[in-house]
Amino acid sequence: MSPPHSLLLLFSSMFFFTYFPGLVVSADVTLSSIEIYTTHEWLKATPSLYFQCKGDNKTELLDVKETNVSYTFKGEESWQPLTNFFGKKCKRCGVYEENKILYDDVFDEWELCPSDFTTPDGRYIHFKEKEFNASFLCPDCLPISGVSVSAPPSKNQYQSKKGMHGAVIVLLTILVLAILTLAILVIYKYWQKKKREQDQARFMKLFEDGDDIEDELGLGTII
Ligand SMILES: *[C@@H]1O[C@H](CO)[C@@H](O)[C@H](O)[C@H]1NC(C)=O
Ligand SMILES: *[C@@H]1O[C@H](CO)[C@@H](O)[C@H](O)[C@H]1NC(C)=O
Ligand SMILES: *[C@@H]1O[C@H](CO)[C@@H](O)[C@H](O)[C@H]1NC(C)=O
């Protein structure tokens, strides 16, 4: 039973390394710069902005107080990184303004994806007219998205999914064929053995019958 085992191991490891090369990587996203063009709360002079992704904690942007001023960051501030990715999965994130009385105001909310960081230094600029312009950095996102950098992310995800299905089907087919071949071989060997035994038994019986006939004949001649 050792050849099918090693075959299975070989195929599953091939499968794993082909399709999940960047899966274990975690990639931090930092805010590089932000400029807001408006505030949503007119009662308060200074806005309290924060960045948040669904499932993550809030990150308060305490420095951002004035409109039409570009704030730049080194990426090492106490509140950085903003968020992080595990694998290719996108996160739904947004820039909001805290509102003490009503619901928080939304500057913008969008899907932030590792594949968005396409420049050589891993930068992504999110601009929303009349609201804000922010640039994010994620150098570790480049190896995660890999060759998909220039391709549209949705198409690429579809293709890799299709490829994965194909690989699973091929793997299963090979496995089934291997098991089937093995089973046929075992059955054939068993049948051969059985047949040989039967032949032997019939031969022995023939011998015994022959003896009986001879005995009868001998007895007959004597009489
Ligand atoms: C959110 O903050 C709390 C307290 O600081 C911390 O224990 C928790 O791990 C944080 N959660 C995430 C997803 O960062
Ligand atoms: C900021 O710039 C926008 C146009 O870019 C302008 O409409 C707005 O009045 C400016 N706000 C301030 C406070 O200067
Ligand atoms: C947004 O900010 C980036 C980086 O600071 C800058 O290169 C870009 O020109 C800005 N875009 C707009 C529309 O202001």
Side-chain angles (χ1 to χ4, degrees):
M1 285 287 167
S2 102
H5 263 168
S6 49
L7 202 75
L8 181 66
L9 202 74
L10 179 75
F11 273 101
S12 42
S13 56
M14 249 167 67
F15 178 73
F16 187 83
F17 286 113
T18 312
Y19 290 102
F20 307 108
L23 203 70
V24 281
V25 181
S26 154
D28 286 343
V29 179
T30 57
L31 183 64
S32 174
S33 73
I34 189 166
E35 175 175 0
I36 55 169
Y37 304 121
T38 183
T39 61
H40 288 260
E41 212 168 351
W42 19 274
L43 288 175
K44 239 186 341 183
T46 55
S48 18
L49 258 71
Y50 66 90
F51 175 94
Q52 188 175 25
C53 294
K54 286 243 160 68
D56 285 356
N57 285 333
K58 279 184 192 178
T59 304
E60 291 191 47
L61 307 173
L62 295 172
D63 304 307
V64 183
K65 292 294 170 203
E66 287 181 53
T67 56
N68 294 357
V69 173
S70 182
Y71 296 89
T72 59
F73 306 101
K74 281 186 278 191
E76 294 151 6
E77 289 79 8
S78 58
W79 45 269
Q80 301 261 36
L82 289 180
T83 184
N84 47 30
F85 292 118
F86 291 97
K88 288 185 173 188
K89 198 103 181 137
C90 304
K91 281 188 168 184
R92 185 144 196 94
C93 306
V95 175
Y96 310 89
E97 186 177 338
E98 209 160 82
N99 191 319
K100 292 279 189 298
I101 307 156
L102 289 165
Y103 300 111
D104 290 355
D105 300 295
V106 180
F107 276 80
D108 196 14
E109 201 181 274
W110 73 99
E111 289 280 327
L112 189 65
C113 303
S115 55
D116 290 336
F117 298 83
T118 50
T119 65
D121 60 341
R123 186 180 295 273
Y124 165 64
I125 293 171
H126 191 87
F127 171 74
K128 195 177 182 196
E129 212 175 338
K130 298 207 181 94
E131 297 280 355
F132 72 99
N133 178 17
S135 76
F136 302 89
L137 278 175
C138 180
D140 294 337
C141 287
L142 291 170
I144 292 183
S145 34
V147 282
S148 68
V149 161
S150 54
S154 56
K155 191 175 163 237
N156 212 284
Q157 268 166 14
Y158 176 68
Q159 275 177 347
S160 80
K161 242 198 176 133
K162 260 195 97 167
M164 218 145 104
H165 281 186
V168 168
I169 289 167
V170 167
L171 189 74
L172 283 179
T173 310
I174 289 170
L175 262 178
V176 166
L177 278 180
I179 289 168
L180 221 73
T181 311
L182 207 79
I184 287 171
L185 213 74
V186 167
I187 289 169
Y188 178 69
K189 285 273 171 210
Y190 179 74
W191 177 77
Q192 256 187 343
K193 194 173 158 231
K194 259 274 171 309
K195 192 162 183 296
R196 213 179 302 132
E197 275 173 11
Q198 266 176 6
D199 283 353
Q200 234 159 24
R202 206 177 301 146
F203 189 66
M204 296 294 275
K205 189 135 185 291
L206 211 72
F207 244 96
E208 277 165 25
D209 287 355
D211 281 357
D212 287 353
I213 290 163
E214 228 165 65
D215 284 353
E216 270 169 37
L217 281 177
L219 218 80
T221 48
I222 285 165
I223 291 168

